[in-house]
């Protein structure tokens, strides 16, 4: 019975570790590049809005 309990705990720990690794990998591969792309887009939008406001603003 002792080996069964140890095996059960080992299986549960392995499953939790595998799920955590899968979640981390998914975040690194799918989510992070999208966040970086969105930040780059936002930065470009901000710069272009400043430039447009500057070039079309009053000069006096």
């Amino acid at each position: 019975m002792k080996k069964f309990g140890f095996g059960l705990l080992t299986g549960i720990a392995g499953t939790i570790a595998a799920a955590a690794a899968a979640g981390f990998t998914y975040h690194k591969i799918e989510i992070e590049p999208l966040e970086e792309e969105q930040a780059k887009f936002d930065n470009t939008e901000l710069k272009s809005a400043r430039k447009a406001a500057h070039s079309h603003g009053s000069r006096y």
Side-chain angles (χ1 to χ4, degrees):
M1 191 68 181
K2 208 173 199 183
K3 286 186 177 185
F4 175 77
F6 182 71
L8 184 65
L9 289 177
T10 303
I12 291 171
T15 303
I16 291 171
F24 179 75
T25 302
Y26 177 77
H27 181 75
K28 279 290 196 186
I29 291 174
E30 294 292 327
I31 306 297
E32 238 176 56
L34 292 176
E35 289 175 347
E36 289 172 2
E37 184 178 333
Q38 184 63 35
K40 191 176 181 182
F41 177 76
D42 291 342
N43 191 16
T44 303
E45 282 289 311
L46 182 64
K47 285 181 181 179
S48 96
R50 284 182 184 162
K51 191 173 186 179
H54 180 69
S55 65
H56 297 293
S58 65
R59 295 181 183 220
Y60 302 106

